[in-house]
Amino acid sequence: MEESQVLSGAVALLRRVGIRLPSGCLDAWDLILPDGRELSTRVRVSRRPPTPTVLARLLTTPDPVRRVLVVTPRATAHLRTLATDGEVDVIAVHEGLLVFAGMRYDVTDAESLTAAPTSGVRGRKPWVRWALARALLLSGTAQTQHRLAELLGVSQQAVSLALKQ
């Protein structure tokens, strides 16, 4: 999951639980919680949950004004413990978990959580490999790479690569 997808999922969760985001930028959000309290955060987005070492590093640079907010697809047990103790704030997008200042906010409409978008297959379609497989299946005898290349209208190097794959 890309960081931009994690961020957009986090903003959708905030809206769903009634937390407003009146101002901010990519690395600092000012939030208004449902009870009216204001919360200033330093946002750290990661595609994977941060390790205990990374979390310790984030917490050793205290900011008296802004709390650390970790936005990630899922939360580890260590991250959940820190969030429950109020040391960090967490948004775990895939789990629908939001914890601010030690208080958990429940997503009321669990079935409307968007599924994780699946990334499309990268690269070009293996047309040569598929054509080569058909040619080998249909020919009753062994063929040289040069002859297969002529049949398929590609180079011998393309045939060699397709055979390796």
Side-chain angles (χ1 to χ4, degrees):
M1 178 171 243
E2 296 285 327
E3 286 185 6
S4 61
Q5 293 171 328
V6 173
L7 266 177
S8 61
V11 171
L13 285 175
L14 288 174
R15 286 185 186 142
R16 198 166 289 133
V17 298
I19 297 175
R20 292 186 300 144
L21 179 62
S23 66
C25 58
L26 288 177
D27 59 350
W29 290 353
D30 294 322
L31 304 170
I32 298 178
L33 302 177
D35 61 5
R37 287 183 298 150
E38 294 182 9
L39 187 68
S40 297
T41 61
R42 287 184 295 150
V43 181
R44 297 297 176 253
V45 181
S46 61
R47 292 184 298 186
R48 290 187 216 121
T51 63
T53 306
V54 171
L55 287 169
R57 192 175 322 123
L58 285 173
L59 294 173
T60 57
T61 56
D63 186 342
V65 178
R66 296 195 175 274
R67 295 178 49 85
V68 175
L69 169 60
V70 177
V71 180
T72 184
R74 59 184 177 77
T76 60
H78 181 68
L79 185 57
R80 285 176 190 272
T81 303
L82 288 176
T84 304
D85 294 344
E87 295 182 46
V88 297
D89 299 327
V90 174
I91 300 176
V93 176
H94 286 249
E95 299 169 357
L97 174 70
L98 293 102
V99 181
F100 292 100
M103 185 174 170
R104 183 179 176 146
Y105 292 87
D106 290 324
V107 177
T108 57
D109 195 7
E111 61 267 0
S112 69
L113 279 174
T114 57
T118 57
S119 60
V121 178
R122 294 171 51 155
R124 295 172 48 183
K125 296 216 181 283
W127 299 114
V128 173
R129 189 174 50 191
W130 293 339
L132 179 62
R134 277 192 308 274
L136 289 172
L137 286 171
L138 294 174
S139 78
T141 61
Q143 302 285 332
T144 64
Q145 287 185 6
H146 182 70
R147 175 70 184 132
L148 289 169
E150 287 176 353
L151 285 171
L152 300 177
V154 296
S155 67
Q156 180 273 324
Q157 290 86 354
V159 170
S160 176
L161 180 64
L163 285 171
K164 286 179 186 176
Q165 293 173 342

